[in-house]
Amino acid sequence: MEMQNIYLAVPLAPLVGAAIAGLFCRLIPRWLAHTATILGVATAFVLSVVIFNDVKAGNTFNGPVYEWLTSGDYRFQVGFLIDQLTVTMMLVVTFVSLMVHIYTIGYMQDDPGYNRFFSYIALFTFAMLMLVMSNNFMQLFFGWEAVGLVSYLLIGFWYTRPTAIVANMKAFLVNRVGDFGFILGIGLVLAHFGSLDYKTVFDQAPSLASATLNLVPGYEWGTVSLMSAICILLFIGAMGKSAQVPLHVWLPDSMEGPTPISALIHAATMVTAGIFMVARMSHLFELSDTALSFVIIIGSITALFMGFLGVIQNDIKRVVAYSTLSQLGYMTVALGASAYSVAIFHLMTHAFFKALLFLGAGSVIIGMHHDQDIRNMGGLRKYMPVTWLTSLIGSLALIGTPFFAGFYSKDSIIEAVALSHITGSGFAYFSVMVGVFITAFYSFRMYFLVFHGEERFGKAHADGAHHDAHAKHAGDDDHGSADDVHEHHGLKPGQKPHETPWVVTLPLVLLAIPSVVIGYFAIEPMLFGDYFQGAIHINAEAHPVMEELAHEFHGATAMALHAIQTPVFWLAVSGVVLSWFFYLKRPEIPAAIKAASGPLYTLLENKYYFDKFNERVLAGGAKLLGRGLWRGGDAGVIDGLIVGGAVRLVSGVSMLVRFFQSGHIYHYAFTMIFGVCALLSFWLLRA
């Protein structure tokens, strides 16, 4: 019973902090708001460590907390499933969230919504913990939607800015598209399994592996595999949350929120929900090769094509955002190859170095007086040494440098895809290999332009790039209100950047440590040990990828040393070297390529026209349909024909009746004679 109380305390601690900071935000001082929320998240992290040690000792838990609703034979419960997969997510979420909370003290110190912001991020943490700790689909959906709701509030935190309004609405609507598929998948589970409890569903799944679903009654071609339908619908939900093509369009625009939110959403919470969900549902996905092929193809497209967009970005946060999209593609590819543990492993390592990169970008933005354009930076290494070193560590981890955390997880994904025989694995292998080069190129393009080369700050920008960038993304990281969007961004002539306060740099240092070492120590137990035993299910006979991967593994050190001889390493090195040559030695070459690329650059600049398609076809079609229903249905049929027609009919009848109701007796006599004649005529005609 004691451990169950600890389980309950983990999500409730951030919730209490969020309630204090949110409900009393206008009454309490700032120090109390951040103290309450940080204490709540810190408590959740410490208790997660306690639970981790308990699970490591062999103690797991699966049971209800209370029964929320009973409908006929169906029971809807709130409960927890505490196993290796759950506790891994709990540690990642609480640790990264704690770092973000501490960082926020420095980053948001001048913002009038300080207390409100702390309440939102603590509530965000609560929602994510409820999602990962759930033992049933109902609670999973609650956490799923709660994370989406709070993300709406956070992305649009500066709610008076038009760009923020558009961004949070885009995130909200796109995720609702994915969630529609998600809820349909859950509905199929309830209809065919009779339960929403994970264990019950997973135990029954093998017996329904060959079951079919008739989408078009009476036609054989309308019959599909039940398991494929459930898994694909569930994955459509993951496509929204984890930003997979074509439901990825909201994630880059989430940069309209403050940088701490970017770190929290991209690294540890919202976008990881879809990856976690598929790994949790491995018992179902292993029964459908069709669903696995769908997953691996979607992940491949995301990993490859979203990486290309990172090459042309000039906003420091958007470069990191597109790297998130690409890395989420890598995780999804691993899921499709039945390497679920590898996907979770990359999720964990990615959370640390991606949070590090986002918070490092925020530190640069503070030092540059809120200028986010990397074309206006350069040479920051000597002014911001802590930010420089930690950003370098994050970049090296991101591109998969041997011995860094990202290497072990990313290289394992590539090897797993190479060993997979699932349909689409060939394209996936090509995508992730090209992605290695592209990631290295755009990551170090940002690194070199920000920290090395000519000092481009504190100058007048005759080309207007400086001010245009901030007109487009007005106030992305302005710590003041939205009314201040026209204030000067960037350093004035003669001004120099400065290192940020310790509340900003301390999280960078603490995140840099696992970004280096966590992969080395975690790869063997997480991938080739029994760490995920029972939590993740793999049909080794049908999908032997992990078994084959284990045969090729000879220790973390040997893996890193061997990597130097592989094409993956030299692709990464080539990307770094080419970036150095283009942007430090011969900067005129990228400009010439841009000028010569013409339509290709336009295609990338317009993000493959996904936004325009959504605006003109989907949104435009919806508006056209709505206008048609309004004018034709509402105004034409209801108002015009039904309501207006009834009025006109009553008016016409009354006009006719008024003629006969004149008050003259000869009119009444004439009416009686006419009526009698009409009745006699009707009677004679019938006879």
Side-chain angles (χ1 to χ4, degrees):
M1 190 63 186
E2 183 181 353
M3 286 306 298
Q4 293 184 37
N5 291 333
I6 294 176
Y7 302 151
L8 191 60
V10 171
L12 290 183
L15 181 63
V16 170
I20 294 171
L23 297 177
F24 307 102
C25 65
R26 299 182 183 275
L27 304 174
I28 61 176
R30 292 187 168 203
W31 69 265
L32 184 56
H34 71 237
T35 301
T37 52
I38 290 174
L39 191 61
V41 176
T43 301
F45 172 66
V46 171
L47 294 178
S48 296
V49 173
V50 173
I51 296 169
F52 170 76
N53 290 324
D54 188 58
V55 171
K56 198 175 176 183
N59 301 314
T60 58
F61 176 80
N62 182 18
V65 176
Y66 68 91
E67 193 166 292
W68 178 63
L69 178 69
T70 300
S71 178
D73 296 330
Y74 302 126
R75 294 183 176 182
F76 302 91
Q77 298 174 328
V78 175
F80 295 143
L81 171 58
I82 307 298
D83 59 8
Q84 298 88 338
L85 180 58
T86 301
V87 80
T88 300
M89 294 297 300
M90 289 166 64
L91 287 172
V92 170
V93 170
T94 54
F95 178 74
V96 174
S97 179
L98 180 59
M99 296 300 102
V100 169
H101 276 70
I102 296 170
Y103 179 94
T104 299
I105 296 173
Y107 194 88
M108 300 293 288
Q109 61 181 342
D110 299 323
D111 197 285
Y114 187 91
N115 291 2
R116 178 167 60 94
F117 188 82
F118 271 98
S119 72
Y120 286 175
I121 57 177
L123 188 62
F124 203 53
T125 307
F126 158 76
M128 189 65 189
L129 287 170
M130 288 297 290
L131 189 157
V132 300
M133 294 175 70
S134 63
N135 74 337
N136 61 83
F137 286 92
M138 187 212 70
Q139 188 177 326
L140 173 71
F141 189 72
F142 164 77
W144 198 268
E145 293 302 309
V147 168
L149 172 63
V150 186
S151 73
Y152 171 84
L153 299 173
L154 287 168
I155 295 169
F157 181 77
W158 290 310
Y159 53 84
T160 57
R161 300 175 185 173
T163 51
I165 296 170
V166 171
N168 69 359
M169 285 301 297
K170 183 184 286 188
F172 185 83
L173 293 174
V174 171
N175 273 277
R176 297 296 74 76
V177 174
D179 293 349
F180 182 68
F182 192 58
I183 194 69
L184 286 177
I186 294 175
L188 283 179
V189 169
L190 183 61
H192 290 271
F193 291 86
S195 175
L196 293 177
D197 179 72
Y198 289 165
K199 189 176 186 306
T200 304
V201 172
F202 296 162
D203 289 344
Q204 293 183 24
S207 63
L208 293 173
S210 58
T212 58
L213 186 67
N214 197 340
L215 300 178
V216 186
Y219 295 91
E220 191 173 335
W221 56 264
T223 302
V224 298
S225 165
L226 172 65
M227 212 56 64
S228 296
I230 290 174
C231 292
I232 289 174
L233 287 170
L234 291 176
F235 181 69
I236 289 172
M239 287 168 65
K241 280 290 182 289
S242 293
Q244 299 295 294
V245 173
L247 302 182
H248 68 284
V249 294
W250 68 270
L251 193 60
D253 286 349
S254 68
M255 299 300 98
E256 292 296 331
T259 295
I261 288 313
S262 304
L264 204 54
I265 288 177
H266 286 246
T269 53
M270 190 169 173
V271 297
T272 64
I275 307 300
F276 162 79
M277 185 274 294
V278 175
R280 175 61 78 195
M281 303 299 149
S282 59
H283 294 75
L284 304 181
F285 279 83
E286 284 298 286
L287 298 173
S288 173
D289 282 3
T290 302
L292 290 175
S293 291
F294 183 76
V295 170
I296 202 170
I297 291 170
I298 293 294
S300 307
I301 295 170
T302 306
L304 179 62
F305 290 98
M306 294 302 107
F308 287 133
L309 295 181
V311 175
I312 68 164
Q313 302 301 316
N314 295 312
D315 185 308
I316 188 171
K317 289 204 308 180
R318 289 178 183 268
V319 177
V320 187
Y322 279 103
S323 82
T324 301
L325 282 168
S326 182
Q327 296 307 305
L328 286 168
Y330 274 81
M331 298 175 206
T332 305
V333 164
L335 294 171
S338 291
Y340 307 97
S341 57
V342 180
I344 297 299
F345 183 41
H346 193 52
L347 182 157
M348 180 188 70
T349 62
H350 175 266
F352 297 123
F353 63 72
K354 186 52 56 71
L356 173 60
L357 286 170
F358 265 115
L359 299 187
S363 181
V364 169
I365 293 167
I366 295 173
M368 289 294 299
H369 200 277
H370 315 304
D371 188 355
Q372 297 181 196
D373 196 328
I374 59 177
R375 294 169 297 182
N376 302 328
M377 301 179 189
L380 296 189
R381 178 170 61 98
K382 66 179 179 181
Y383 301 104
M384 306 179 72
V386 178
T387 303
W388 159 70
L389 183 58
T390 52
S391 297
L392 176 60
I393 290 171
S395 299
L396 291 171
L398 172 62
I399 70 171
T401 307
F403 292 103
F404 285 77
F407 158 75
Y408 291 101
S409 55
K410 197 171 183 178
D411 207 66
S412 297
I413 291 174
I414 295 170
E415 290 184 27
V417 174
L419 295 169
S420 176
H421 300 290
I422 209 80
T423 302
S425 59
F427 173 64
Y429 183 69
F430 169 79
S431 298
V432 295
M433 288 294 284
V434 174
V436 170
F437 173 81
I438 298 297
T439 302
F441 180 80
Y442 70 68
S443 298
F444 273 82
R445 169 182 176 265
M446 179 186 72
Y447 170 78
F448 289 133
L449 287 175
V450 172
F451 295 105
H452 295 273
E454 177 192 358
E455 296 179 2
R456 297 178 296 277
F457 48 81
K459 298 180 180 180
H461 297 273
D463 62 356
H466 173 77
H467 297 288
D468 290 345
H470 293 287
K472 185 178 179 181
H473 306 294
D476 276 2
D477 283 86
D478 178 11
H479 291 202
S481 67
D483 297 326
D484 299 325
V485 296
H486 299 295
E487 73 173 1
H488 176 75
H489 285 77
L491 299 170
K492 298 177 182 178
Q495 283 187 314
K496 300 295 183 184
H498 56 86
E499 187 62 271
T500 45
W502 72 268
V503 289
V504 174
T505 55
L506 178 63
L508 298 181
V509 174
L510 294 177
L511 286 166
I513 296 170
S515 297
V516 177
V517 304
I518 193 70
Y520 183 90
F521 293 106
I523 182 170
E524 188 164 359
M526 289 186 73
L527 301 193
F528 310 114
D530 58 356
Y531 182 79
F532 286 122
Q533 188 175 3
I536 289 174
H537 171 73
I538 298 175
N539 183 356
E541 186 176 345
H543 310 125
V545 167
M546 292 306 298
E547 286 189 353
E548 294 178 22
L549 203 60
H551 293 152
E552 297 182 3
F553 180 75
H554 303 289
T557 303
M559 181 178 176
L561 294 174
H562 174 72
I564 300 173
Q565 309 169 31
T566 63
V568 178
F569 174 77
W570 292 107
L571 280 170
V573 171
S574 300
V576 174
V577 172
L578 187 64
S579 181
W580 168 82
F581 181 73
F582 274 10
Y583 296 99
L584 291 186
K585 294 300 179 182
R586 298 289 299 278
E588 70 276 8
I589 295 179
I593 293 174
K594 176 183 175 181
S597 60
L600 179 60
Y601 184 83
T602 304
L603 179 67
L604 296 176
E605 192 176 37
N606 286 278
K607 298 173 284 188
Y608 307 115
Y609 293 96
F610 275 106
D611 283 333
K612 289 190 182 319
F613 177 83
N614 290 335
E615 289 171 10
R616 297 183 181 182
V617 178
L618 299 182
K623 287 180 181 178
L624 188 65
L625 178 63
R627 194 176 293 114
L629 291 172
W630 164 55
R631 290 180 176 174
D634 192 24
V637 177
I638 297 175
D639 289 343
L641 186 61
I642 298 176
V643 178
V647 170
R648 287 190 294 273
L649 178 64
V650 171
S651 178
V653 171
S654 66
M655 290 281 294
L656 182 64
V657 171
R658 191 183 302 120
F659 174 77
F660 293 104
Q661 296 289 333
S662 64
H664 298 288
I665 191 167
Y666 57 84
H667 280 166
Y668 297 140
F670 174 76
T671 303
M672 291 174 63
I673 294 169
F674 179 80
V676 170
C677 291
L679 287 172
L680 287 172
S681 299
F682 178 73
W683 182 78
L684 289 171
L685 289 171
R686 286 189 65 187

